[in-house]
Amino acid sequence: DAGVIQSPRHEVTEMGQEVTLRCKPISGHNSLFWYRQTMMRGLELLIYFNNNVPIDDSGMPEDRFSAKMPNASFSTLKIQPSEPRDSAVYFCASSLRGGKSSYNEQFFGPGTRLTVL
Amino acid sequence: KNQVEQSPQSLIILEGKNCTLQCNYTVSPFSNLRWYKQDTGRGPVSLTIMTFSENTKSNGRYTATLDADTKQSSLHITASQLSDSASYICVVSVGDSNYQLIWGAGTKLIIKP
């Protein structure tokens, strides 16, 4: 398996522009997570999907952030309009809930480094 | 408040030496504790996962311990290699949730030749 795939790997944009980050989870996984990582705050969970349905979006910072999962193999995280404080590394992770392991281990993608100027 | 604290913040050791990283947590209800390795520019990768009843688990040169009474965990790295240079993050899972994870700030480990 190719693992979790994210695109783009790097994104540089200007304040006010729309940014869309993409994620393809591991095939067969039914849970998907979007995280943000900064030096100041570490890793923060933004939103969690289970079977394509958003379960917990309490970590989404504000209305400028939105996430969708139209099918089991694709998710997007959109920021509109972007601000300099959104600069961070955004990770997508997937797991298999209810699988053989009760640990529901999360597998992370390589991340998207976003810089908003 | 659920918290995970790690020490030291950073550590530099010579290649071939051993080291131990610490993690203290106040998470309730506790489900399991995980150690992740994060190489620079990459996503975290799971090293070990331990439940309440497990007090030690190994993954190659990595050995994690868990003391559920004192709410402490450690990650011991034996015979360090240059490729061990990374951040090591302690993560505690809350209750039966499969997604509510409390992340530590990590220990940045640098292995020098």
Side-chain angles (χ1 to χ4, degrees):
Chain A
D1 200 312
V4 176
I5 299 172
Q6 291 187 246
S7 64
R9 292 295 312 276
H10 302 273
E11 177 81 30
V12 180
T13 190
E14 293 189 343
M15 182 174 65
Q17 297 298 305
E18 177 179 298
V19 175
T20 299
L21 311 182
R22 297 172 175 79
C23 174
K24 176 178 169 56
I26 292 173
S27 177
H29 282 188
N30 55 12
S31 295
L32 184 138
F33 312 82
W34 281 101
Y35 287 89
R36 177 171 68 177
Q37 186 176 39
T38 61
M39 289 292 291
M40 291 295 294
R41 301 172 68 95
L43 266 157
E44 303 173 282
L45 177 65
L46 299 177
I47 187 168
Y48 157 57
F49 291 88
N50 184 243
N51 292 325
N52 312 337
V53 176
I55 303 299
D56 185 347
D57 65 354
S58 59
M60 296 286 263
E62 47 198 274
D63 292 345
R64 297 184 297 106
F65 286 69
S66 63
K68 294 182 179 180
M69 191 164 186
N71 56 62
S73 59
F74 184 66
S75 177
T76 60
L77 178 67
K78 185 176 294 186
I79 307 173
Q80 165 63 20
S82 59
E83 296 182 4
R85 60 194 168 115
D86 301 331
S87 297
V89 180
Y90 291 82
F91 288 103
C92 176
S94 70
S95 72
L96 177 60
R97 181 175 187 181
K100 287 184 180 179
S101 167
S102 62
Y103 301 141
N104 300 306
E105 181 178 351
Q106 295 183 20
F107 295 83
F108 284 77
T112 294
R113 180 173 294 277
L114 173 65
T115 302
V116 183
L117 303 174
Chain B
K1 179 182 177 184
N2 289 329
Q3 279 187 324
V4 174
E5 295 182 348
Q6 293 187 242
S7 62
Q9 277 190 323
S10 61
L11 181 63
I12 302 173
I13 64 172
L14 292 175
E15 184 180 11
K17 297 296 186 182
N18 304 335
C19 67
T20 300
L21 314 180
Q22 302 290 344
C23 172
N24 295 334
Y25 63 91
T26 53
V27 176
S28 182
F30 173 90
S31 176
N32 58 68
L33 184 144
R34 314 162 186 219
W35 282 93
Y36 279 87
K37 178 186 180 189
Q38 185 174 20
D39 291 315
T40 301
R42 309 191 75 162
V45 174
S46 179
L47 292 175
T48 64
I49 301 177
M50 290 182 292
T51 62
F52 186 91
S53 60
E54 296 172 297
N55 55 22
T56 187
K57 184 167 278 191
S58 293
N59 178 358
R61 294 178 296 100
Y62 301 101
T63 299
T65 64
L66 173 64
D67 186 333
D69 292 331
T70 61
K71 299 186 177 180
Q72 295 179 324
S73 176
S74 65
L75 181 69
H76 185 74
I77 304 174
T78 304
S80 61
Q81 300 176 359
L82 297 179
S83 59
D84 292 331
S85 294
S87 287
Y88 292 84
I89 308 174
C90 177
V91 187
V92 179
S93 179
V94 181
D96 293 331
S97 164
N98 82 320
Y99 72 95
Q100 288 183 337
L101 303 178
I102 310 300
W103 293 78
T107 292
K108 186 171 178 62
L109 176 64
I110 298 173
I111 311 297
K112 291 205 164 184

mmCIF file of all heavy atoms in Angstrom, chain B residues 51-81:
data_model
loop_
_atom_site.group_PDB
_atom_site.id
_atom_site.type_symbol
_atom_site.label_atom_id
_atom_site.label_comp_id
_atom_site.label_asym_id
_atom_site.label_seq_id
_atom_site.Cartn_x
_atom_site.Cartn_y
_atom_site.Cartn_z
ATOM 1 N N THR B 51 -1.325 -0.778 26.538
ATOM 2 C CA THR B 51 -2.535 -0.599 27.317
ATOM 3 C C THR B 51 -2.195 -0.576 28.795
ATOM 4 O O THR B 51 -1.043 -0.752 29.184
ATOM 5 C CB THR B 51 -3.537 -1.733 27.054
ATOM 6 O OG1 THR B 51 -2.924 -2.968 27.467
ATOM 7 C CG2 THR B 51 -3.885 -1.830 25.577
ATOM 8 N N PHE B 52 -3.215 -0.400 29.599
ATOM 9 C CA PHE B 52 -3.082 -0.294 31.051
ATOM 10 C C PHE B 52 -2.346 -1.499 31.639
ATOM 11 O O PHE B 52 -1.567 -1.371 32.574
ATOM 12 C CB PHE B 52 -4.495 -0.205 31.647
ATOM 13 C CG PHE B 52 -4.523 0.047 33.115
ATOM 14 C CD1 PHE B 52 -4.562 1.332 33.613
ATOM 15 C CD2 PHE B 52 -4.518 -1.008 34.026
ATOM 16 C CE1 PHE B 52 -4.593 1.580 34.973
ATOM 17 C CE2 PHE B 52 -4.554 -0.763 35.384
ATOM 18 C CZ PHE B 52 -4.589 0.525 35.862
ATOM 19 N N SER B 53 -2.573 -2.681 31.084
ATOM 20 C CA SER B 53 -2.039 -3.905 31.672
ATOM 21 C C SER B 53 -0.621 -4.252 31.203
ATOM 22 O O SER B 53 0.001 -5.177 31.727
ATOM 23 C CB SER B 53 -2.962 -5.081 31.356
ATOM 24 O OG SER B 53 -3.069 -5.239 29.953
ATOM 25 N N GLU B 54 -0.134 -3.492 30.227
ATOM 26 C CA GLU B 54 1.203 -3.785 29.718
ATOM 27 C C GLU B 54 2.200 -2.835 30.357
ATOM 28 O O GLU B 54 1.981 -1.616 30.367
ATOM 29 C CB GLU B 54 1.243 -3.624 28.190
ATOM 30 C CG GLU B 54 0.350 -4.610 27.461
ATOM 31 C CD GLU B 54 0.267 -4.300 25.979
ATOM 32 O OE1 GLU B 54 -0.230 -3.199 25.622
ATOM 33 O OE2 GLU B 54 0.674 -5.156 25.190
ATOM 34 N N ASN B 55 3.318 -3.353 30.851
ATOM 35 C CA ASN B 55 4.281 -2.444 31.451
ATOM 36 C C ASN B 55 5.582 -2.343 30.667
ATOM 37 O O ASN B 55 6.454 -1.543 31.012
ATOM 38 C CB ASN B 55 4.570 -2.800 32.912
ATOM 39 C CG ASN B 55 5.010 -4.235 33.070
ATOM 40 O OD1 ASN B 55 5.490 -4.844 32.125
ATOM 41 N ND2 ASN B 55 4.839 -4.769 34.259
ATOM 42 N N THR B 56 5.708 -3.125 29.608
ATOM 43 C CA THR B 56 6.873 -2.963 28.748
ATOM 44 C C THR B 56 6.575 -3.519 27.363
ATOM 45 O O THR B 56 5.833 -4.497 27.235
ATOM 46 C CB THR B 56 8.124 -3.644 29.350
ATOM 47 O OG1 THR B 56 9.263 -3.314 28.545
ATOM 48 C CG2 THR B 56 7.960 -5.150 29.384
ATOM 49 N N LYS B 57 7.130 -2.860 26.370
ATOM 50 C CA LYS B 57 6.959 -3.335 25.005
ATOM 51 C C LYS B 57 8.165 -2.892 24.184
ATOM 52 O O LYS B 57 8.614 -1.744 24.314
ATOM 53 C CB LYS B 57 5.671 -2.794 24.397
ATOM 54 C CG LYS B 57 5.376 -3.330 23.001
ATOM 55 C CD LYS B 57 3.964 -3.038 22.573
ATOM 56 C CE LYS B 57 2.981 -4.046 23.134
ATOM 57 N NZ LYS B 57 1.644 -3.926 22.513
ATOM 58 N N SER B 58 8.667 -3.783 23.373
ATOM 59 C CA SER B 58 9.869 -3.485 22.588
ATOM 60 C C SER B 58 9.573 -3.492 21.098
ATOM 61 O O SER B 58 8.693 -4.200 20.617
ATOM 62 C CB SER B 58 10.968 -4.509 22.879
ATOM 63 O OG SER B 58 11.440 -4.384 24.196
ATOM 64 N N ASN B 59 10.336 -2.681 20.393
ATOM 65 C CA ASN B 59 10.284 -2.620 18.930
ATOM 66 C C ASN B 59 11.718 -2.416 18.474
ATOM 67 O O ASN B 59 12.194 -1.294 18.372
ATOM 68 C CB ASN B 59 9.380 -1.477 18.484
ATOM 69 C CG ASN B 59 9.320 -1.332 16.974
ATOM 70 O OD1 ASN B 59 9.986 -2.061 16.242
ATOM 71 N ND2 ASN B 59 8.515 -0.399 16.508
ATOM 72 N N GLY B 60 12.414 -3.516 18.255
ATOM 73 C CA GLY B 60 13.824 -3.422 17.884
ATOM 74 C C GLY B 60 14.643 -2.828 19.015
ATOM 75 O O GLY B 60 14.618 -3.302 20.142
ATOM 76 N N ARG B 61 15.343 -1.738 18.705
ATOM 77 C CA ARG B 61 16.181 -1.111 19.721
ATOM 78 C C ARG B 61 15.384 -0.159 20.623
ATOM 79 O O ARG B 61 15.947 0.486 21.498
ATOM 80 C CB ARG B 61 17.324 -0.352 19.037
ATOM 81 C CG ARG B 61 18.307 -1.258 18.301
ATOM 82 C CD ARG B 61 19.406 -0.464 17.595
ATOM 83 N NE ARG B 61 18.866 0.390 16.549
ATOM 84 C CZ ARG B 61 18.650 1.686 16.677
ATOM 85 N NH1 ARG B 61 18.963 2.309 17.816
ATOM 86 N NH2 ARG B 61 18.158 2.385 15.681
ATOM 87 N N TYR B 62 14.099 -0.044 20.392
ATOM 88 C CA TYR B 62 13.240 0.820 21.201
ATOM 89 C C TYR B 62 12.480 -0.030 22.226
ATOM 90 O O TYR B 62 11.866 -1.030 21.868
ATOM 91 C CB TYR B 62 12.218 1.544 20.321
ATOM 92 C CG TYR B 62 12.798 2.421 19.241
ATOM 93 C CD1 TYR B 62 12.868 1.996 17.920
ATOM 94 C CD2 TYR B 62 13.276 3.694 19.544
ATOM 95 C CE1 TYR B 62 13.394 2.802 16.927
ATOM 96 C CE2 TYR B 62 13.798 4.506 18.560
ATOM 97 C CZ TYR B 62 13.864 4.056 17.255
ATOM 98 O OH TYR B 62 14.389 4.868 16.273
ATOM 99 N N THR B 63 12.542 0.380 23.497
ATOM 100 C CA THR B 63 11.782 -0.291 24.544
ATOM 101 C C THR B 63 11.007 0.750 25.330
ATOM 102 O O THR B 63 11.598 1.680 25.870
ATOM 103 C CB THR B 63 12.691 -1.072 25.503
ATOM 104 O OG1 THR B 63 13.405 -2.072 24.766
ATOM 105 C CG2 THR B 63 11.864 -1.750 26.592
ATOM 106 N N ALA B 64 9.704 0.580 25.363
ATOM 107 C CA ALA B 64 8.857 1.496 26.115
ATOM 108 C C ALA B 64 8.392 0.819 27.391
ATOM 109 O O ALA B 64 8.142 -0.387 27.421
ATOM 110 C CB ALA B 64 7.655 1.913 25.273
ATOM 111 N N THR B 65 8.304 1.607 28.453
ATOM 112 C CA THR B 65 7.774 1.108 29.717
ATOM 113 C C THR B 65 6.603 1.976 30.135
ATOM 114 O O THR B 65 6.512 3.152 29.763
ATOM 115 C CB THR B 65 8.835 1.127 30.820
ATOM 116 O OG1 THR B 65 9.214 2.480 31.088
ATOM 117 C CG2 THR B 65 10.056 0.311 30.430
ATOM 118 N N LEU B 66 5.721 1.389 30.909
ATOM 119 C CA LEU B 66 4.553 2.112 31.393
ATOM 120 C C LEU B 66 4.298 1.748 32.840
ATOM 121 O O LEU B 66 4.235 0.562 33.193
ATOM 122 C CB LEU B 66 3.322 1.766 30.554
ATOM 123 C CG LEU B 66 1.979 2.326 31.028
ATOM 124 C CD1 LEU B 66 1.983 3.848 30.978
ATOM 125 C CD2 LEU B 66 0.826 1.763 30.198
ATOM 126 N N ASP B 67 4.189 2.753 33.686
ATOM 127 C CA ASP B 67 3.782 2.579 35.079
ATOM 128 C C ASP B 67 2.453 3.306 35.244
ATOM 129 O O ASP B 67 2.420 4.526 35.393
ATOM 130 C CB ASP B 67 4.848 3.148 36.019
ATOM 131 C CG ASP B 67 4.531 2.862 37.488
ATOM 132 O OD1 ASP B 67 3.330 2.709 37.834
ATOM 133 O OD2 ASP B 67 5.470 2.800 38.296
ATOM 134 N N ALA B 68 1.373 2.541 35.197
ATOM 135 C CA ALA B 68 0.047 3.152 35.252
ATOM 136 C C ALA B 68 -0.265 3.737 36.630
ATOM 137 O O ALA B 68 -1.115 4.611 36.759
ATOM 138 C CB ALA B 68 -1.018 2.125 34.866
ATOM 139 N N ASP B 69 0.422 3.249 37.652
ATOM 140 C CA ASP B 69 0.179 3.784 38.996
ATOM 141 C C ASP B 69 0.720 5.196 39.139
ATOM 142 O O ASP B 69 0.061 6.082 39.689
ATOM 143 C CB ASP B 69 0.811 2.876 40.054
ATOM 144 C CG ASP B 69 0.105 1.533 40.148
ATOM 145 O OD1 ASP B 69 -1.113 1.482 39.850
ATOM 146 O OD2 ASP B 69 0.767 0.535 40.492
ATOM 147 N N THR B 70 1.937 5.393 38.652
ATOM 148 C CA THR B 70 2.541 6.724 38.749
ATOM 149 C C THR B 70 2.263 7.570 37.513
ATOM 150 O O THR B 70 2.639 8.730 37.449
ATOM 151 C CB THR B 70 4.060 6.618 38.934
ATOM 152 O OG1 THR B 70 4.628 5.958 37.800
ATOM 153 C CG2 THR B 70 4.399 5.835 40.205
ATOM 154 N N LYS B 71 1.625 6.962 36.517
ATOM 155 C CA LYS B 71 1.294 7.656 35.267
ATOM 156 C C LYS B 71 2.550 8.181 34.586
ATOM 157 O O LYS B 71 2.648 9.368 34.230
ATOM 158 C CB LYS B 71 0.276 8.765 35.524
ATOM 159 C CG LYS B 71 -1.041 8.230 36.082
ATOM 160 C CD LYS B 71 -2.105 9.298 36.201
ATOM 161 C CE LYS B 71 -3.410 8.669 36.693
ATOM 162 N NZ LYS B 71 -4.490 9.672 36.818
ATOM 163 N N GLN B 72 3.491 7.276 34.450
ATOM 164 C CA GLN B 72 4.745 7.626 33.801
ATOM 165 C C GLN B 72 5.093 6.570 32.749
ATOM 166 O O GLN B 72 4.794 5.380 32.906
ATOM 167 C CB GLN B 72 5.888 7.708 34.822
ATOM 168 C CG GLN B 72 5.721 8.820 35.836
ATOM 169 C CD GLN B 72 6.872 8.851 36.834
ATOM 170 O OE1 GLN B 72 7.405 7.824 37.226
ATOM 171 N NE2 GLN B 72 7.255 10.068 37.231
ATOM 172 N N SER B 73 5.736 7.033 31.701
ATOM 173 C CA SER B 73 6.235 6.132 30.668
ATOM 174 C C SER B 73 7.627 6.579 30.269
ATOM 175 O O SER B 73 7.980 7.758 30.420
ATOM 176 C CB SER B 73 5.312 6.151 29.449
ATOM 177 O OG SER B 73 5.828 5.356 28.405
ATOM 178 N N SER B 74 8.412 5.644 29.773
ATOM 179 C CA SER B 74 9.725 5.997 29.266
ATOM 180 C C SER B 74 9.964 5.258 27.956
ATOM 181 O O SER B 74 9.373 4.200 27.711
ATOM 182 C CB SER B 74 10.818 5.648 30.279
ATOM 183 O OG SER B 74 10.868 4.241 30.462
ATOM 184 N N LEU B 75 10.799 5.848 27.142
ATOM 185 C CA LEU B 75 11.224 5.212 25.891
ATOM 186 C C LEU B 75 12.740 5.121 25.931
ATOM 187 O O LEU B 75 13.426 6.144 26.005
ATOM 188 C CB LEU B 75 10.771 6.020 24.672
ATOM 189 C CG LEU B 75 11.160 5.415 23.323
ATOM 190 C CD1 LEU B 75 10.378 4.133 23.064
ATOM 191 C CD2 LEU B 75 10.915 6.416 22.186
ATOM 192 N N HIS B 76 13.245 3.895 25.924
ATOM 193 C CA HIS B 76 14.685 3.668 25.990
ATOM 194 C C HIS B 76 15.184 3.272 24.605
ATOM 195 O O HIS B 76 14.614 2.371 23.963
ATOM 196 C CB HIS B 76 14.994 2.556 27.003
ATOM 197 C CG HIS B 76 16.450 2.340 27.219
ATOM 198 N ND1 HIS B 76 17.239 3.211 27.940
ATOM 199 C CD2 HIS B 76 17.278 1.347 26.784
ATOM 200 C CE1 HIS B 76 18.479 2.764 27.964
ATOM 201 N NE2 HIS B 76 18.532 1.643 27.278
ATOM 202 N N ILE B 77 16.211 3.948 24.160
ATOM 203 C CA ILE B 77 16.809 3.638 22.861
ATOM 204 C C ILE B 77 18.203 3.065 23.110
ATOM 205 O O ILE B 77 19.037 3.709 23.777
ATOM 206 C CB ILE B 77 16.898 4.887 21.967
ATOM 207 C CG1 ILE B 77 15.507 5.511 21.806
ATOM 208 C CG2 ILE B 77 17.479 4.523 20.593
ATOM 209 C CD1 ILE B 77 15.498 6.832 21.047
ATOM 210 N N THR B 78 18.432 1.900 22.589
ATOM 211 C CA THR B 78 19.706 1.201 22.799
ATOM 212 C C THR B 78 20.597 1.343 21.575
ATOM 213 O O THR B 78 20.129 1.280 20.449
ATOM 214 C CB THR B 78 19.438 -0.287 23.072
ATOM 215 O OG1 THR B 78 18.556 -0.411 24.179
ATOM 216 C CG2 THR B 78 20.725 -1.029 23.353
ATOM 217 N N ALA B 79 21.880 1.523 21.840
ATOM 218 C CA ALA B 79 22.874 1.584 20.760
ATOM 219 C C ALA B 79 22.407 2.522 19.652
ATOM 220 O O ALA B 79 22.174 2.099 18.503
ATOM 221 C CB ALA B 79 23.144 0.183 20.214
ATOM 222 N N SER B 80 22.279 3.784 19.975
ATOM 223 C CA SER B 80 21.691 4.759 19.060
ATOM 224 C C SER B 80 22.435 4.811 17.718
ATOM 225 O O SER B 80 23.655 4.588 17.629
ATOM 226 C CB SER B 80 21.686 6.146 19.704
ATOM 227 O OG SER B 80 23.010 6.549 19.995
ATOM 228 N N GLN B 81 21.644 5.126 16.689
ATOM 229 C CA GLN B 81 22.169 5.280 15.341
ATOM 230 C C GLN B 81 21.811 6.672 14.829
ATOM 231 O O GLN B 81 20.882 7.306 15.335
ATOM 232 C CB GLN B 81 21.569 4.209 14.424
ATOM 233 C CG GLN B 81 21.878 2.786 14.858
ATOM 234 C CD GLN B 81 21.209 1.739 13.992
ATOM 235 O OE1 GLN B 81 20.472 2.063 13.053
ATOM 236 N NE2 GLN B 81 21.469 0.467 14.283
#
